[in-house]
Amino acid sequence: MPDQNTGCCKGSGCCTPVPEKKKITIDFLYLDLSVCERCQGTDSNLDDAISDVSSVLSSAGYDAVINKVNITSAALAEKYAFMSSPTIRINGKDIEVDVSESNCTDCGTLCGDSVDCRVFTYEGNHYDSPPKGMIVNAILKEVYGSKSEQSKTEAAYVLPENLRLFFESQSRKNGG
């Protein structure tokens, strides 16, 4: 039986190293998981999607690194160049290129003001949380898609007015 680290069989004379696994990084950025149904749905769909593709990723030589980040301040929003909640990025690329939003009563309740959160478009339909299929397809596209795609030149990050309002309203509501 081959050694797991080297691929060598004792006394066989062969010594083929086991290739190092590649990493695929999946970032889930959100405002709230306790109240916001959009963020909760995104979290659940992300977990389901990762569960569905985990054996494919492993077979293809990938380890998935999952980062779930609660964006609790304007400073964190700036650090992650956070544009809208919820957001899923795979290897730094947002799974939804265009940001469109609609009123989110849950986040409005959370901060005590009117807030818009992200709407996802998948196969011609609009969803408050990205469907599992959208997430699975984005992961597989990153693994099997063409790597020659040009990336857009990104403008300097400016905190969106909607998020600025959310954090200011939340601070006022919490007595800060």
Side-chain angles (χ1 to χ4, degrees):
M1 180 147 167
D3 179 277
Q4 289 182 344
N5 296 322
T6 64
C8 294
C9 299
K10 288 186 178 182
S12 71
C14 77
C15 196
T16 308
V18 174
E20 190 172 321
K21 289 219 175 202
K22 297 169 270 202
K23 300 257 185 261
I24 187 165
T25 303
I26 302 169
D27 298 315
F28 170 42
L29 311 172
Y30 61 91
L31 289 175
D32 174 77
L33 287 177
S34 64
V35 173
C36 182
E37 289 184 18
R38 292 183 195 209
C39 291
Q40 292 168 355
T42 301
D43 187 39
S44 177
N45 291 348
L46 175 61
D47 288 344
D48 290 347
I50 291 167
S51 177
D52 284 359
V53 300
S54 63
S55 62
V56 172
L57 291 174
S58 181
S59 295
Y62 284 84
D63 277 331
V65 176
I66 314 302
N67 301 308
K68 295 185 178 188
V69 183
N70 184 2
I71 305 295
T72 57
S73 67
L76 265 179
E78 289 175 18
K79 176 181 178 181
Y80 288 95
F82 187 56
M83 297 304 293
S84 186
S85 183
T87 292
I88 296 176
R89 293 182 185 144
I90 301 172
N91 288 343
K93 296 178 211 138
D94 200 315
I95 68 167
E96 178 74 84
V97 177
D98 296 317
V99 175
S100 38
E101 297 173 316
S102 67
N103 184 267
C104 179
T105 56
D106 295 335
C107 285
T109 300
L110 192 66
C111 75
D113 208 332
S114 178
V115 174
D116 290 340
C117 287
R118 187 170 235 166
V119 175
F120 294 85
T121 302
Y122 178 64
E123 296 184 346
N125 296 307
H126 302 291
Y127 301 90
D128 287 342
S129 300
K132 180 173 71 168
M134 179 182 195
I135 301 168
V136 167
N137 287 341
I139 293 169
L140 295 177
K141 181 179 178 187
E142 183 63 24
V143 170
Y144 294 114
S146 171
K147 302 295 183 197
S148 63
E149 292 179 15
Q150 299 270 340
S151 61
K152 288 196 275 185
T153 304
E154 294 191 25
Y157 177 79
V158 175
L159 182 70
E161 182 66 18
N162 193 43
L163 291 174
R164 184 192 62 73
L165 175 67
F166 175 83
F167 294 122
E168 286 176 0
S169 298
Q170 190 175 42
S171 178
R172 275 193 305 276
K173 183 179 178 183
N174 296 330

